[in-house]
Amino acid sequence: MTLTFQSVRVATEYDEEGMLVFNGNRRLVAVLTRLSEQNEIAPGQWFLEAGFGRLGGISHPTFANLETAQVWINQRLVHQN
Amino acid sequence: MTVRPSASHNLMIRKLESIVSLSDEEKQALRGLPIQVTSLKTDSDIVRVGDRPSHSFLLVAGFTCVYKLTAEGKRQIVAFHVPGDMPDLHSLHLKVMDTSMATVTPCTIGFIQHEALIQICDRYPRISAAFWRETLVDASIFREWMTGIGRREAYNRMAHLLCEFQVRLSAVGLAEDDTFDLPITQTELADAIGASNVHVNRILQELRANGLIRTSGTQVNVPDWQKLKEAGDFDPLYLHLRQD
């Protein structure tokens, strides 16, 4: 599935730089935020801030870059859970 | 190494006395329990799901957790234990372990054979009741955590957990002037409150920014106990500490 990304500012009060992720039908499936370079947990990585539908579970992984985020999101969208 | 009587016995007695009163004779009997003391590194399993232990353990120093793994390999920590606790005391009667228990710091553990525990319980019904009460309080803690994981926000759950540590460590003399040592990683805290470690990191920052905690290394200081209790929706009733 072809995902599209759209930059957005997210009011997390911590890491604002974000990305809306849409599926092939232009439906919002996830909101990613980029953790700051000072973050103690995963500096500079992308964090699944919120997911919808099949991404709406309790998993909130971090990704080294948007490509790995895209692979993970696609896998989740294709396979149930 | 069998130690008797020892600091381990005194710690066990101090812990039990935080929830029940014991006579001199009962304390003397507890001091006679053979305890095999051993040291374990961080992240060592003490007992695992499916084990049939022939002994229970007394946590003498350090912190341990009770956890379960999902089929996907995700860990939920369902309780932490602090020195003085006997986390798998219930294995005396429930023969097969249904949870695993592991160290989260370097620990000193004292193993006590079930046979010795059964003997002391047979001779001293009030010690038997004290052990029963200890496991009932564990169950009460699980209920409190379940309420938090199901219905409290992650920020409140973390405040609640810190309040719980403060009260439990105080009961065995391990918290002073509203300061206690909490050498538990953010990943472990995340597995305990059911949030991601990124969220836990933000929550700790927020608790600090709001003046509810001060941290220095692994030391946690609570400058305003009342405020932290309110943030955690914390009522220590569920810990059933002795009131007298």
Side-chain angles (χ1 to χ4, degrees):
Chain A
M1 187 182 297
T2 307
L3 301 176
T4 51
F5 292 83
Q6 182 185 320
S7 290
V8 70
R9 306 302 291 182
V10 188
T12 65
E13 298 180 11
Y14 291 91
D15 305 288
E16 284 218 326
E17 182 189 348
M19 205 60 88
L20 301 178
V21 186
F22 296 93
N23 67 12
N25 299 322
R26 296 287 301 159
R27 300 293 186 272
L28 182 65
V29 292
V31 179
L32 301 171
T33 51
R34 189 172 177 280
L35 303 177
S36 79
E37 296 297 338
Q38 285 73 45
N39 187 277
E40 292 177 18
I41 302 297
Q45 297 209 0
W46 289 89
F47 175 59
L48 182 73
E49 196 73 50
F52 305 98
R54 288 183 186 179
L55 304 182
I58 55 173
S59 285
H60 291 273
T62 55
F63 307 100
N65 50 51
L66 288 175
E67 287 70 35
T68 54
Q70 186 160 355
V71 169
W72 187 87
I73 291 170
N74 259 323
Q75 282 172 348
R76 289 278 161 145
L77 293 180
V78 172
H79 304 109
Q80 189 75 47
N81 292 317
Chain B
M1 170 176 65
T2 299
V3 184
R4 65 150 93 183
S6 68
S8 305
H9 293 93
N10 291 337
L11 180 64
M12 173 168 59
I13 289 164
R14 176 160 191 176
K15 167 62 205 293
L16 289 174
E17 283 206 298
S18 74
I19 53 173
V20 293
S21 66
L22 295 167
S23 70
D24 288 343
E25 190 190 355
E26 287 155 351
K27 284 188 245 185
Q28 204 50 45
L30 286 166
R31 285 193 189 99
L33 270 179
I35 300 181
Q36 294 279 121
V37 177
T38 187
S39 297
L40 293 174
K41 291 179 184 165
T42 304
D43 294 331
S44 307
D45 275 341
I46 303 163
V47 278
R48 292 194 184 96
V49 169
D51 281 359
R52 294 171 167 270
S54 59
H55 45 60
S56 292
F57 74 92
L58 167 74
L59 179 54
V60 180
F63 290 82
T64 61
C65 72
V66 184
Y67 72 93
K68 281 203 155 187
L69 295 175
T70 67
E72 266 190 306
K74 289 182 181 170
R75 178 176 66 168
Q76 176 67 45
I77 290 177
V78 297
F80 286 112
H81 284 101
V82 303
D85 289 342
M86 299 174 77
D88 66 345
L89 192 54
H90 59 280
S91 70
L92 195 57
H93 293 292
L94 300 177
K95 296 298 178 193
V96 184
M97 292 300 297
D98 53 66
T99 50
S100 299
M101 298 183 182
T103 61
V104 293
T105 65
C107 284
T108 307
I109 302 285
F111 290 107
I112 309 168
Q113 290 297 321
H114 282 167
E115 207 174 307
L117 288 168
I118 288 166
Q119 279 175 11
I120 202 172
C121 287
D122 284 348
R123 276 195 69 189
Y124 299 93
R126 279 166 37 91
I127 289 179
S128 178
F131 286 158
W132 185 10
R133 200 177 161 101
E134 164 94 359
T135 62
L136 289 172
V137 173
D138 271 341
S140 174
I141 293 172
F142 294 140
R143 291 191 290 272
E144 187 68 24
W145 278 41
M146 183 186 283
T147 305
I149 287 171
R151 287 291 177 255
R152 290 190 184 106
E153 297 297 330
Y155 177 84
N156 310 104
R157 291 206 290 283
M158 181 61 74
H160 191 281
L161 180 58
L162 293 171
C163 289
E164 182 181 304
F165 273 122
Q166 160 80 13
V167 171
R168 290 173 69 186
L169 289 167
S170 290
V172 284
L174 293 173
E176 274 179 40
D177 300 330
D178 297 320
T179 299
F180 55 95
D181 192 36
L182 193 67
I184 292 178
T185 66
Q186 291 187 24
T187 299
E188 286 153 354
L189 293 173
D191 286 352
I193 69 164
S196 72
N197 47 9
V198 171
H199 281 128
V200 163
N201 184 254
R202 289 176 182 170
I203 288 165
L204 292 174
Q205 289 183 57
E206 200 176 339
L207 286 167
R208 281 194 289 257
N210 293 341
L212 297 188
I213 56 167
R214 287 190 286 238
T215 55
S216 169
T218 58
Q219 295 282 308
V220 178
N221 172 259
V222 181
D224 189 336
W225 179 232
Q226 196 52 39
K227 264 171 82 176
L228 188 67
K229 269 170 57 174
E230 279 168 19
D233 183 23
F234 182 80
D235 178 348
L237 173 78
Y238 74 101
L239 296 171
H240 298 279
L241 294 172
R242 260 171 73 195
Q243 298 300 313
D244 52 69

